[in-house]
């Protein structure tokens, strides 16, 4: 996957996430938000995400992430190097750990089925692009969550969402490495959202579908994740809430 042809293909492909809002247009995003009772932060900095919304959106994103990595490990039609498989297994385990924390603290995923780009598991360049764009969005959303929880004075939760952002940034670096990119190209993660609900247009095509998307694909169960990990486990790390 790190051949020059793959690198050139990835470099020439326009960002999926940047164009996500146009996949079906604003009406789709609006209907998605209405369907799940989400108020987007279209009013800018005047809008205030409430903690439950943040937890629910984060749990939804983590469920999407586990679906993405599980699908790559079980259904990819392109060859992955042995070390790349290990990277993806560690990422899957981490995303499940994040999800478990969110659920334990009252978060609820809005759905357990998702839509994906049609060639996601057959086109390695598209896989890398979608993975990098998604992880960029996850980092940005957790940074926004950290800002909002700090604003609310919930310092321990803010510290934990900062941990999650750091973990997602690692996944972004590894996805870039799989695609043949320099993994550590950013001096700082991209602050692309002020509110977590700003990420709704990014998530919408994956939850509701759109042009070029197929599905739905069911999220893996805990048992399925354990089976595909085959004993691979991240080093145990306590969340900020359990340390301080």
């Amino acid at each position: 996957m790190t051949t020059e042809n793959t690198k050139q293909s990835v470099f020439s492909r326009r960002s999926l996430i940047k164009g996500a809002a146009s996949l079906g247009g604003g009406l789709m995003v609006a209907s998605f938000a209405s369907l799940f009772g989400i108020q987007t932060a279209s009013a800018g900095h005047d809008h205030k995400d409430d903690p439950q919304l943040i937890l629910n959106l984060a749990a939804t994103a983590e469920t999407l992430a586990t679906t993405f990595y599980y699908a790559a490990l079980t259904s990819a039609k392109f060859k992955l190097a042995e070390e790349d498989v290990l990277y993806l297994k560690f990422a899957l385990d981490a995303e499940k750990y994040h999800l478990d924390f969110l659920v334990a603290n009252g978060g609820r995923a809005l759905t357990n089925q998702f839509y994906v780009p049609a060639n996601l598991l057959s086109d390695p360049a598209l896989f890398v692009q979608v993975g990098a764009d998604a992880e960029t969005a996850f980092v940005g959303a957790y940074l926004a969550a950290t800002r909002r929880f700090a604003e609310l004075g919930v310092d321990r939760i803010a510290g934990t969402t900062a941990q999650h952002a750091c973990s997602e940034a690692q996944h972004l670096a590894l996805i870039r490495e799989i695609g043949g990119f320099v993994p550590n190209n950013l001096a700082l993660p991209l602050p692309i959202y002020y509110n977590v609900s700003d990420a709704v247009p990014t998530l919408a095509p994956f939850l509701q579908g759109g042009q070029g998307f197929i599905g739905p694909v069911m999220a893996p169960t805990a048992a399925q994740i354990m089976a595909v990990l085959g004993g691979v486990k991240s080093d145990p790390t306590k969340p900020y809430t359990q340390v301080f």
Side-chain angles (χ1 to χ4, degrees):
M1 284 190 60
T2 56
T3 65
E4 189 62 30
N5 286 338
T6 299
K7 292 180 184 178
Q8 290 174 352
S9 179
V10 175
F11 275 117
S12 65
R13 190 180 301 277
R14 62 177 298 195
S15 171
L16 178 76
I17 295 299
K18 288 180 180 178
S22 66
L23 295 173
L27 179 61
M28 183 188 73
V29 174
S31 61
F32 164 77
S34 175
L35 179 65
F36 290 103
I38 297 171
Q39 180 182 359
T40 62
S42 57
H45 297 180
D46 293 334
H47 175 74
K48 306 289 187 182
D49 283 345
D50 64 70
Q52 189 62 58
L53 173 61
I54 294 173
L55 291 170
N56 289 351
L57 286 175
T60 304
E62 294 292 2
T63 304
L64 171 59
T66 61
T67 304
F68 175 81
Y69 287 115
Y70 179 82
L73 289 165
T74 59
S75 304
K77 294 179 174 60
F78 49 81
K79 184 173 177 57
L80 287 162
E82 185 176 343
E83 64 269 23
D84 294 340
V85 171
L86 188 59
Y87 292 161
L88 295 178
K89 285 186 176 182
F90 274 108
L92 174 59
D93 183 63
E95 305 292 19
K96 179 62 166 57
Y97 187 79
H98 300 168
L99 178 59
D100 289 344
F101 171 85
L102 294 165
V103 171
N105 284 271
R108 179 181 62 84
L110 303 176
T111 183
N112 66 345
Q113 60 183 27
F114 301 92
Y115 296 83
V116 297
N119 297 323
L120 179 67
L121 298 176
S122 60
D123 182 346
L126 179 62
F127 171 79
V128 169
Q129 184 67 69
V130 172
D133 288 343
E135 290 294 356
T136 297
F138 297 157
V139 172
Y142 274 123
L143 291 176
T146 301
R147 179 206 64 77
R148 178 59 177 147
F149 281 130
E151 183 179 52
L152 291 169
V154 192
D155 56 340
R156 290 172 175 80
I157 293 289
T160 305
T161 55
Q163 286 179 290
H164 286 195
C166 292
S167 179
E168 304 297 356
Q170 290 180 326
H171 302 166
L172 172 58
L174 293 174
I175 286 286
R176 287 178 57 85
E177 171 69 20
I178 290 172
F181 295 109
V182 173
N184 57 331
N185 64 310
L186 297 175
L188 291 172
L190 296 175
I192 55 178
Y193 307 125
Y194 187 76
N195 293 288
V196 179
S197 58
D198 290 337
V200 167
T202 302
L203 284 175
F206 294 94
L207 278 74
Q208 187 168 315
Q211 182 181 354
F213 281 67
I214 60 173
V217 177
M218 294 295 298
T221 65
Q224 288 175 318
I225 291 175
M226 289 288 290
V228 78
L229 289 177
V232 170
K233 193 71 179 169
S234 302
D235 293 338
T237 306
K238 289 184 178 180
Y240 205 91
T241 51
Q242 294 182 10
V243 177
F244 300 103

